[in-house]
Amino acid sequence: MLRCKLSLPCWLPLMTGLCVLVLTVGCGKNPEAQFAWRDSTLDLLPKAREGVETAVNDAFGTPHDLVAWDKLPVHFGGVQGVVQPPAEGEKLPANQFHVQWDGSPDGVGAGSELLWMTGAIAKSKHPTAVVVKYDDVTKTLELKSKGEAPAAGDRLAVGLGSQLQLGRMVYMKNCNHCHGVAGDGNGPTAQYLNPRPRDYRLGLFKFTSTLSSEKAAREDLDRIITYGIPGTYMPSFLLLGNNDGGKEKAAVVEYVRWLAMRGEMEKRLVDELSGDYSESGLVTEAEKEKKSYADAKSEYDKARKAGNKDAEKPEPAQALSQLKKAAGEELKKFLEEDFPGTINDTSDFIADAWKRADDPASLIVPTVARVTDDAASRERGRLLYMSDKAKCYTCHGAKGRGNGPAIEDFWKKPGSNDTYARRGLHDTWGNPLPPRDLTRGQYRGGRRPIDVFARVYAGIKGTPMPAFGGTVLKDSDIWDIVNYVMSLPFEEQIPSAKPAAAPHMAATEPVGQ
Ligand code: HEC
Ligand code: HEC
């Protein structure tokens, strides 16, 4: 069932013109499932929180009322079209008309559900109609309903959102128990897993074929879902929908992207507001004021005692309630005047970034072919690995065992001066993340040499493993390092042998280049 949602553009003048549609998804196993909000969203002042939740809900909906917002680069499924005037002299019954489609009308046929997006009919209380017949030669649709006739120029959609709905169903069945309804990596099984399931809501994925500044391409997500992540609990879904020509997998890829966009939108909007309008921020502010008043007051008292009559009496600190009141007034103005623009810019930014990820210009393409994997190349690689330029050993250890000196350090949290409570590396989500033991030959991002090249070239996003390509190391240097690193698992058994596919690494992935 599809229905048009009209509320979003009304209060967001900048978004008008973009069609927003709600897809009411049929009941799944969890009728009560909700998208959980971030702790930082829940910590906002009530009006600020409402602002964020409304913006995110309007653009994305709820698990049972998904919104297909055509601003986002998501394949929502279905096809849109425009009603064409009849040819000259042609007489068509009121329930038949020609359509010019924006894409391929493959799925359109008897029984398809049709939604009017613009025109007089779109406003009727029953926006859906059912297709009785479709003739692809004359592009003529015949409808069951005999109601009001569409006019030339009216926009319609058939099966809109079908792919996202399918993606949601696949996700709820196979992924939800680890990755959580909102993609927060906090499903019921998650707490028992190390590393934890990915929280998609930063819009960050680790193992991509894209440059370090870019998001994951569709193909990257497809690959992870197909083959899983070796050495972690992320399973392989090689057999998912194996008789459906890849439909279920493609749908869940879109759903993961969509959840990532939703999560990033929430995070970025909260970040805009939390500095001035969070409960905990105001409590800290009030404490700070109280303390500085106490300090100033004791200075004043001292000065008075010493006979200084000119000492200026400090202003009393503002109570929390006063601070809240002032923040509330400021917030009201911000929400009315600036926030709609913030929402628009944020969604543009996210949509552009995800669009770019699938642009071939975002892919890592080595400028030179793999350097011949011989003893000389591996030795060059080893020297680079130990060099001050690459410093791989500081994390991975001189012998590659993942025990470099960096694991003894207290690391700073990103974007802050605070350090983590535990020694060693952490990922951007705040989870402890030891450097890989490279002697084990386990490559989470894929074990083809080109995969390892990509890891070194662009680093591992969301982790402290830095990017070396383009700046620090030449492509031929990276190949030497790849040759060295990939020889480490075999070094002790066969000191100078060429690494070959080891039997314990079952071929779950194509071994190429
Ligand atoms: C048994 C738990 C589990 C299930 C079920 C599961 N995952 Fe994962 N998934 C993980 C873990 C753990 C990681 C993180 C591994 C890491 O950090 O190296 C992960 C990571 C991912 C990533 C991130 C890849 C990257 O490059 O950052 C994606 C995407 C993903 N899973 C998608 C899915 C999808 C889609 C499904 C369902 C079809 C699914 N997962 C089912 C546990 C699971
Ligand atoms: C600041 C610490 C740090 C430095 C420096 C570093 N790495 Fe890493 N590296 C890591 C961490 C942490 C991981 C584990 C990431 C994960 O599993 O999410 C990792 C993972 C890897 C992996 C495994 C990739 C996979 O697909 O599983 C390889 C290979 C690797 N690093 C090679 C290198 C090489 C080569 C260098 C130097 C050119 C290097 N690293 C420098 C921290 C570092």
Side-chain angles (χ1 to χ4, degrees):
M1 291 277 268
L2 304 165
R3 67 193 155 84
C4 203
K5 185 174 189 180
L6 300 166
S7 59
L8 173 68
C10 306
W11 67 279
L12 279 181
L14 291 163
M15 285 186 184
T16 44
L18 293 164
C19 190
V20 176
L21 300 154
V22 172
L23 320 161
T24 308
V25 174
C27 268
K29 272 190 184 158
N30 292 324
E32 300 302 325
Q34 296 284 338
F35 289 138
W37 297 104
R38 293 186 156 273
D39 290 347
S40 52
T41 305
L42 302 177
D43 183 41
L44 292 174
L45 295 182
K47 287 280 173 213
R49 175 179 165 183
E50 195 184 303
V52 170
E53 292 183 355
T54 307
V56 173
N57 282 342
D58 281 345
F60 294 87
T62 66
H64 299 282
D65 259 350
L66 308 180
V67 171
W69 186 12
D70 59 6
K71 179 180 197 170
L72 302 177
V74 173
H75 296 156
F76 289 106
V79 62
Q80 298 183 28
V82 182
V83 175
Q84 301 297 303
E88 268 210 40
E90 185 186 23
K91 274 250 172 277
L92 281 173
N95 62 334
Q96 288 185 28
F97 47 90
H98 303 303
V99 183
Q100 186 188 327
W101 300 105
D102 294 348
S104 148
D106 278 354
V108 182
S112 301
E113 284 185 330
L114 181 150
L115 170 70
W116 292 107
M117 297 165 77
T118 64
I121 307 181
K123 293 194 186 115
S124 94
K125 281 193 180 157
H126 305 286
T128 62
V130 176
V131 175
V132 170
K133 214 164 103 192
Y134 173 63
D135 180 344
D136 197 35
V137 177
T138 59
K139 310 256 179 280
T140 310
L141 265 184
E142 184 181 330
L143 297 188
K144 203 191 245 161
S145 77
K146 299 242 164 51
E148 212 178 333
D154 285 357
R155 281 193 79 78
L156 56 93
V158 178
L160 191 78
S162 49
Q163 169 130 302
L164 196 66
Q165 291 181 28
L166 177 63
R168 176 187 176 271
M169 281 187 307
V170 174
Y171 184 87
M172 292 307 279
K173 204 163 121 194
N174 300 288
C175 323
N176 179 54
H177 64 99
C178 285
H179 289 282
V181 178
D184 55 7
N186 206 12
T189 324
Q191 56 178 313
Y192 307 107
L193 307 182
N194 180 15
R196 286 184 71 96
R198 186 75 65 258
D199 170 356
Y200 308 140
R201 300 172 307 164
L202 297 182
L204 265 182
F205 292 94
K206 286 185 180 177
F207 305 113
T208 75
S209 57
T210 52
L211 299 170
S212 59
S213 54
E214 303 297 345
K215 297 206 174 282
R218 282 190 169 87
E219 245 176 72
D220 295 323
L221 298 177
D222 179 89
R223 192 163 171 283
I224 290 287
I225 295 167
T226 306
Y227 299 113
I229 304 183
T232 79
Y233 284 94
M234 171 65 200
S236 153
F237 288 92
L238 198 59
L239 299 180
L240 180 69
N242 64 341
N243 288 324
D244 73 356
K247 250 167 91 181
E248 290 199 355
K249 193 135 60 69
V252 82
V253 165
E254 294 309 309
Y255 195 70
V256 166
R257 286 161 46 88
W258 182 83
L259 282 176
M261 291 177 208
R262 180 189 175 281
E264 189 176 350
M265 173 111 160
E266 181 193 356
K267 163 112 180 22
R268 287 183 178 273
L269 293 181
V270 179
D271 287 351
E272 285 290 328
L273 291 164
S274 59
D276 296 323
Y277 310 117
S278 73
E279 299 275 0
S280 61
L282 288 170
V283 169
T284 312
E285 178 72 27
E287 276 163 10
K288 245 207 271 164
E289 284 217 7
K290 206 164 136 193
K291 184 167 181 310
S292 74
Y293 172 71
D295 291 349
K297 177 78 169 43
S298 97
E299 283 297 310
Y300 169 78
D301 290 345
K302 250 194 250 158
R304 294 286 294 194
K305 241 188 215 158
N308 180 357
K309 293 218 169 66
D310 299 335
E312 223 175 290
K313 200 170 179 187
E315 287 287 320
Q318 291 194 75
L320 180 60
S321 58
Q322 281 170 301
L323 287 173
K324 269 196 182 168
K325 190 158 171 258
E329 277 156 23
E330 212 183 273
L331 172 64
K332 188 160 179 277
K333 206 161 151 245
F334 180 81
L335 288 176
E336 275 163 19
E337 290 173 11
D338 300 323
F339 201 50
T342 305
I343 295 169
N344 194 51
D345 293 349
T346 305
S347 48
D348 275 350
F349 176 86
I350 293 170
D352 287 350
W354 279 100
K355 249 180 239 154
R356 258 199 337 268
D358 279 310
D359 184 332
S362 301
L363 285 179
I364 299 164
V365 182
T367 52
V368 292
R370 183 181 182 189
V371 174
T372 309
D373 179 20
D374 55 18
S377 166
R378 279 176 246 150
E379 178 58 11
R380 285 194 302 272
R382 190 185 67 81
L383 292 174
L384 283 163
Y385 178 98
M386 295 300 293
S387 70
D388 277 346
K389 215 153 87 172
K391 291 198 175 99
C392 313
Y393 70 95
T394 56
C395 290
H396 292 285
K399 298 267 181 218
R401 294 200 179 279
N403 58 356
I407 63 170
E408 297 299 330
D409 293 340
F410 285 99
W411 283 67
K412 269 196 189 145
K413 296 182 183 173
S416 124
N417 273 333
D418 301 341
T419 48
Y420 289 105
R422 313 176 37 152
R423 284 176 202 275
L425 306 175
H426 291 71
D427 64 19
T428 308
W429 294 264
N431 304 312
L433 180 73
R436 189 67 43 72
D437 176 348
L438 300 172
T439 66
R440 296 182 55 194
Q442 207 156 50
Y443 306 107
R444 292 185 183 170
R447 63 188 179 84
R448 298 171 307 171
I450 185 67
D451 296 323
V452 181
F453 182 97
R455 296 296 80 75
V456 178
Y457 190 96
I460 302 180
K461 289 161 203 172
T463 84
M465 160 111 180
F468 295 91
T471 48
V472 184
L473 296 173
K474 289 186 299 197
D475 286 9
S476 56
D477 292 342
I478 297 181
W479 280 127
D480 286 333
I481 291 183
V482 168
N483 289 337
Y484 169 64
V485 164
M486 295 191 83
S487 76
L488 283 169
F490 308 97
E491 225 175 24
E492 279 167 19
Q493 296 132 314
I494 342 167
S496 61
K498 183 176 158 51
H504 67 273
M505 295 195 286
T508 51
E509 301 164 52
V511 183
Q513 147 75 289

